[in-house]
Amino acid sequence: MDKKNQALEYHHMGYNCAQAAIIPFCEELGFDKEEVFKMAEAFGFGMGVTGTCGAVSGMAFAMGMKNSNGNLGEGERSKGATYKLIKEAIEKFQEKNGSIICKEIKGMETGKVLRSCDGCIEDAVEIIEEMLAKM
């Protein structure tokens, strides 16, 4: 099963958008699914307040999981490069969906839905795959 379908299956099982978007990549990125599930829990439903879309948060998780050098000391930092990657990913998501804000995407204030949660998850997974292939 491809990662988009895995992500949708997870979402339909009750995983939030962030969890659904990132869990299919755990094995590839060398992370435990249960641990990532826990870490991503608070990022669904726009961090619980319809802020930044959970699928976008899942993209951020992926960029950090892949690109961070994990150096907690004063040595070489990877943050700047990781920020550049997530900026590019967010621009791609914004271009596809018109926003990265959950309440705007869901049309909560305007009544105009820009994209379904499933659609946002699909887009995020596609962007993650594209970005990881370049790294």
PDB file of all heavy atoms in Angstrom, residues 5-16 20 117-118 121:
ATOM      1  N   ASN A   5      -2.329   6.131   0.788  1.00  0.00           N
ATOM      2  CA  ASN A   5      -3.404   5.244   1.231  1.00  0.00           C
ATOM      3  C   ASN A   5      -3.217   4.806   2.675  1.00  0.00           C
ATOM      4  O   ASN A   5      -4.186   4.690   3.420  1.00  0.00           O
ATOM      5  CB  ASN A   5      -3.527   4.029   0.300  1.00  0.00           C
ATOM      6  CG  ASN A   5      -4.162   4.400  -1.024  1.00  0.00           C
ATOM      7  OD1 ASN A   5      -5.020   5.269  -1.090  1.00  0.00           O
ATOM      8  ND2 ASN A   5      -3.729   3.756  -2.092  1.00  0.00           N
ATOM      9  N   GLN A   6      -1.965   4.573   3.077  1.00  0.00           N
ATOM     10  CA  GLN A   6      -1.697   4.258   4.486  1.00  0.00           C
ATOM     11  C   GLN A   6      -2.156   5.408   5.374  1.00  0.00           C
ATOM     12  O   GLN A   6      -2.811   5.194   6.397  1.00  0.00           O
ATOM     13  CB  GLN A   6      -0.202   4.031   4.705  1.00  0.00           C
ATOM     14  CG  GLN A   6       0.343   2.748   4.188  1.00  0.00           C
ATOM     15  CD  GLN A   6       1.856   2.671   4.391  1.00  0.00           C
ATOM     16  OE1 GLN A   6       2.467   3.513   5.068  1.00  0.00           O
ATOM     17  NE2 GLN A   6       2.472   1.665   3.801  1.00  0.00           N
ATOM     18  N   ALA A   7      -1.796   6.625   4.975  1.00  0.00           N
ATOM     19  CA  ALA A   7      -2.149   7.805   5.766  1.00  0.00           C
ATOM     20  C   ALA A   7      -3.664   7.948   5.891  1.00  0.00           C
ATOM     21  O   ALA A   7      -4.181   8.219   6.983  1.00  0.00           O
ATOM     22  CB  ALA A   7      -1.540   9.060   5.134  1.00  0.00           C
ATOM     23  N   LEU A   8      -4.376   7.764   4.795  1.00  0.00           N
ATOM     24  CA  LEU A   8      -5.839   7.857   4.838  1.00  0.00           C
ATOM     25  C   LEU A   8      -6.433   6.757   5.697  1.00  0.00           C
ATOM     26  O   LEU A   8      -7.389   6.998   6.451  1.00  0.00           O
ATOM     27  CB  LEU A   8      -6.417   7.822   3.425  1.00  0.00           C
ATOM     28  CG  LEU A   8      -6.104   9.046   2.558  1.00  0.00           C
ATOM     29  CD1 LEU A   8      -6.688   8.868   1.172  1.00  0.00           C
ATOM     30  CD2 LEU A   8      -6.594  10.337   3.202  1.00  0.00           C
ATOM     31  N   GLU A   9      -5.863   5.572   5.613  1.00  0.00           N
ATOM     32  CA  GLU A   9      -6.350   4.464   6.456  1.00  0.00           C
ATOM     33  C   GLU A   9      -6.158   4.802   7.930  1.00  0.00           C
ATOM     34  O   GLU A   9      -7.050   4.601   8.744  1.00  0.00           O
ATOM     35  CB  GLU A   9      -5.602   3.181   6.090  1.00  0.00           C
ATOM     36  CG  GLU A   9      -6.144   1.957   6.806  1.00  0.00           C
ATOM     37  CD  GLU A   9      -5.482   0.682   6.322  1.00  0.00           C
ATOM     38  OE1 GLU A   9      -5.682   0.330   5.141  1.00  0.00           O
ATOM     39  OE2 GLU A   9      -4.771   0.046   7.135  1.00  0.00           O
ATOM     40  N   TYR A  10      -4.981   5.338   8.273  1.00  0.00           N
ATOM     41  CA  TYR A  10      -4.743   5.752   9.663  1.00  0.00           C
ATOM     42  C   TYR A  10      -5.747   6.820  10.091  1.00  0.00           C
ATOM     43  O   TYR A  10      -6.300   6.769  11.187  1.00  0.00           O
ATOM     44  CB  TYR A  10      -3.317   6.281   9.845  1.00  0.00           C
ATOM     45  CG  TYR A  10      -2.242   5.223   9.827  1.00  0.00           C
ATOM     46  CD1 TYR A  10      -1.087   5.405   9.089  1.00  0.00           C
ATOM     47  CD2 TYR A  10      -2.358   4.052  10.565  1.00  0.00           C
ATOM     48  CE1 TYR A  10      -0.076   4.449   9.070  1.00  0.00           C
ATOM     49  CE2 TYR A  10      -1.364   3.087  10.560  1.00  0.00           C
ATOM     50  CZ  TYR A  10      -0.227   3.296   9.806  1.00  0.00           C
ATOM     51  OH  TYR A  10       0.769   2.349   9.795  1.00  0.00           O
ATOM     52  N   HIS A  11      -5.983   7.795   9.227  1.00  0.00           N
ATOM     53  CA  HIS A  11      -6.924   8.863   9.562  1.00  0.00           C
ATOM     54  C   HIS A  11      -8.316   8.305   9.797  1.00  0.00           C
ATOM     55  O   HIS A  11      -9.005   8.695  10.756  1.00  0.00           O
ATOM     56  CB  HIS A  11      -6.932   9.924   8.457  1.00  0.00           C
ATOM     57  CG  HIS A  11      -7.651  11.164   8.831  1.00  0.00           C
ATOM     58  ND1 HIS A  11      -8.745  11.631   8.137  1.00  0.00           N
ATOM     59  CD2 HIS A  11      -7.449  12.056   9.841  1.00  0.00           C
ATOM     60  CE1 HIS A  11      -9.170  12.747   8.707  1.00  0.00           C
ATOM     61  NE2 HIS A  11      -8.398  13.026   9.735  1.00  0.00           N
ATOM     62  N   HIS A  12      -8.733   7.377   8.969  1.00  0.00           N
ATOM     63  CA  HIS A  12     -10.063   6.773   9.120  1.00  0.00           C
ATOM     64  C   HIS A  12     -10.148   5.883  10.352  1.00  0.00           C
ATOM     65  O   HIS A  12     -11.247   5.607  10.836  1.00  0.00           O
ATOM     66  CB  HIS A  12     -10.446   6.014   7.854  1.00  0.00           C
ATOM     67  CG  HIS A  12     -10.541   6.905   6.651  1.00  0.00           C
ATOM     68  ND1 HIS A  12     -10.520   6.434   5.375  1.00  0.00           N
ATOM     69  CD2 HIS A  12     -10.628   8.262   6.541  1.00  0.00           C
ATOM     70  CE1 HIS A  12     -10.599   7.438   4.516  1.00  0.00           C
ATOM     71  NE2 HIS A  12     -10.652   8.562   5.212  1.00  0.00           N
ATOM     72  N   MET A  13      -8.989   5.465  10.874  1.00  0.00           N
ATOM     73  CA  MET A  13      -8.948   4.683  12.119  1.00  0.00           C
ATOM     74  C   MET A  13      -9.000   5.586  13.350  1.00  0.00           C
ATOM     75  O   MET A  13      -9.073   5.099  14.479  1.00  0.00           O
ATOM     76  CB  MET A  13      -7.663   3.846  12.173  1.00  0.00           C
ATOM     77  CG  MET A  13      -7.628   2.705  11.188  1.00  0.00           C
ATOM     78  SD  MET A  13      -5.989   1.898  11.053  1.00  0.00           S
ATOM     79  CE  MET A  13      -5.505   1.657  12.750  1.00  0.00           C
ATOM     80  N   GLY A  14      -8.915   6.910  13.137  1.00  0.00           N
ATOM     81  CA  GLY A  14      -8.988   7.836  14.259  1.00  0.00           C
ATOM     82  C   GLY A  14      -7.709   8.598  14.545  1.00  0.00           C
ATOM     83  O   GLY A  14      -7.674   9.422  15.462  1.00  0.00           O
ATOM     84  N   TYR A  15      -6.647   8.345  13.793  1.00  0.00           N
ATOM     85  CA  TYR A  15      -5.432   9.139  13.956  1.00  0.00           C
ATOM     86  C   TYR A  15      -5.750  10.570  13.527  1.00  0.00           C
ATOM     87  O   TYR A  15      -6.522  10.790  12.604  1.00  0.00           O
ATOM     88  CB  TYR A  15      -4.317   8.625  13.053  1.00  0.00           C
ATOM     89  CG  TYR A  15      -3.704   7.293  13.404  1.00  0.00           C
ATOM     90  CD1 TYR A  15      -4.452   6.220  13.881  1.00  0.00           C
ATOM     91  CD2 TYR A  15      -2.357   7.090  13.219  1.00  0.00           C
ATOM     92  CE1 TYR A  15      -3.867   5.002  14.168  1.00  0.00           C
ATOM     93  CE2 TYR A  15      -1.761   5.864  13.498  1.00  0.00           C
ATOM     94  CZ  TYR A  15      -2.522   4.833  13.978  1.00  0.00           C
ATOM     95  OH  TYR A  15      -1.945   3.627  14.255  1.00  0.00           O
ATOM     96  N   ASN A  16      -5.149  11.546  14.198  1.00  0.00           N
ATOM     97  CA  ASN A  16      -5.378  12.923  13.765  1.00  0.00           C
ATOM     98  C   ASN A  16      -4.571  13.187  12.494  1.00  0.00           C
ATOM     99  O   ASN A  16      -3.799  12.338  12.035  1.00  0.00           O
ATOM    100  CB  ASN A  16      -5.094  13.926  14.893  1.00  0.00           C
ATOM    101  CG  ASN A  16      -3.632  14.047  15.263  1.00  0.00           C
ATOM    102  OD1 ASN A  16      -2.726  13.994  14.437  1.00  0.00           O
ATOM    103  ND2 ASN A  16      -3.376  14.237  16.558  1.00  0.00           N
ATOM    104  N   ALA A  20      -1.560  10.931  11.037  1.00  0.00           N
ATOM    105  CA  ALA A  20      -1.810  10.222   9.778  1.00  0.00           C
ATOM    106  C   ALA A  20      -0.779  10.587   8.724  1.00  0.00           C
ATOM    107  O   ALA A  20      -0.335   9.724   7.949  1.00  0.00           O
ATOM    108  CB  ALA A  20      -3.218  10.527   9.271  1.00  0.00           C
ATOM    109  N   CYS A 117     -10.034  17.277   5.156  1.00  0.00           N
ATOM    110  CA  CYS A 117      -8.901  16.789   5.951  1.00  0.00           C
ATOM    111  C   CYS A 117      -8.167  15.686   5.189  1.00  0.00           C
ATOM    112  O   CYS A 117      -6.938  15.678   5.140  1.00  0.00           O
ATOM    113  CB  CYS A 117      -9.367  16.282   7.307  1.00  0.00           C
ATOM    114  SG  CYS A 117      -9.940  17.599   8.403  1.00  0.00           S
ATOM    115  N   ASP A 118      -8.921  14.757   4.603  1.00  0.00           N
ATOM    116  CA  ASP A 118      -8.281  13.704   3.811  1.00  0.00           C
ATOM    117  C   ASP A 118      -7.449  14.300   2.684  1.00  0.00           C
ATOM    118  O   ASP A 118      -6.335  13.847   2.410  1.00  0.00           O
ATOM    119  CB  ASP A 118      -9.320  12.735   3.224  1.00  0.00           C
ATOM    120  CG  ASP A 118      -9.808  11.692   4.212  1.00  0.00           C
ATOM    121  OD1 ASP A 118      -9.277  11.612   5.341  1.00  0.00           O
ATOM    122  OD2 ASP A 118     -10.729  10.929   3.846  1.00  0.00           O
ATOM    123  N   ILE A 121      -4.238  15.708   4.062  1.00  0.00           N
ATOM    124  CA  ILE A 121      -3.321  14.624   4.404  1.00  0.00           C
ATOM    125  C   ILE A 121      -2.657  14.092   3.134  1.00  0.00           C
ATOM    126  O   ILE A 121      -1.440  13.896   3.094  1.00  0.00           O
ATOM    127  CB  ILE A 121      -4.049  13.513   5.178  1.00  0.00           C
ATOM    128  CG1 ILE A 121      -4.461  14.022   6.557  1.00  0.00           C
ATOM    129  CG2 ILE A 121      -3.178  12.257   5.288  1.00  0.00           C
ATOM    130  CD1 ILE A 121      -5.461  13.135   7.282  1.00  0.00           C
TER     131      ILE A 121
END
